[in-house]
Amino acid sequence: MSSFDSHTKKIQKQFNRQAKEYAQTNQAKDMRAMVSLVGLTKTNASSVTLDVACGPGRLTMAFANHAKQATGLDVTENLLDIGRAEAEKLEIDNIAFTYGSALDIPFDSKTFDTVSCRAAFHHFAAPGEVLKELARVLKPDGEIVIADILGNEETTKATHHDALEQMCDPTHVSCLSKTRFLALFNETGLDVTSSRFGSMDYEVEQWLLHGGPNDEQKREIRSRFEQNVVSDQTGLDAREEKGLLKFTHQTAVFVLELAARATH
């Protein structure tokens, strides 16, 4: 895997630098959320699963607790090492962590019963190409589960939101709206079998830790959130509660299958 594009190399640099901090964020450690995602799938003791852009591997481990074999895939070795160490500590022996890109998944076609991708699509410069790869390695009767934050349907608010995200984490590309996700699924030949929508609340100071911006960037980000308390340009419901700056991400989970199944 020496032919990664410039954006993938940027992801490697950012998350190798921030691996420990990212692995300790609430969203990366929320095992209740991971188990809930597994519960939306048909994963059982005979299933072989793949978790794409697995990060520190907590969702991969949740799948391993229900599957025959679970594999996590990521381009960031430091995050993979965290996953390997934690799986070893927990004595999970039906798990593997593999180095590789979501744009070029290093497995044969029609290999996996379940393919998952959580909290990653907003990092992909070519989300449609990633979806094609997820579909390629899926067995004909398999399923894909995608979970991510959503972009605003209003273009102006979405643009302001993405700009804030990029100041904190330069690997952020854009949050896809529900409409955009559905269009990509249709273009890729995937049907939505179930979906659910929710939200995640953050304190700005805690959220800043995942990206590791410098002091000047932190000041600018705080200033923009403060402006959004007065005039919500981002659609993030920026607010002050007990002296703390807070905001809310909208979230979505989609369970998908290959559209061809509907014709059988």
Side-chain angles (χ1 to χ4, degrees), residues 43-48 66-69 113 139:
T43 304
N44 56 46
S46 64
S47 298
V48 179
H66 294 81
K68 177 181 179 181
Q69 177 69 31
D113 299 289
K139 291 181 180 179

Side-chain angles (χ1 to χ4, degrees), residues 101-116:
S101 170
L103 285 167
D104 186 17
I105 296 175
F107 294 102
D108 291 338
S109 299
K110 303 178 182 179
T111 296
F112 298 97
D113 299 289
T114 304
V115 179
S116 58

Side-chain angles (χ1 to χ4, degrees), residues 148-161:
D148 204 8
I149 55 179
L150 284 177
N152 201 288
E153 296 288 350
E154 295 183 29
T155 302
T156 300
K157 286 186 176 181
T159 299
H160 284 295
H161 174 193

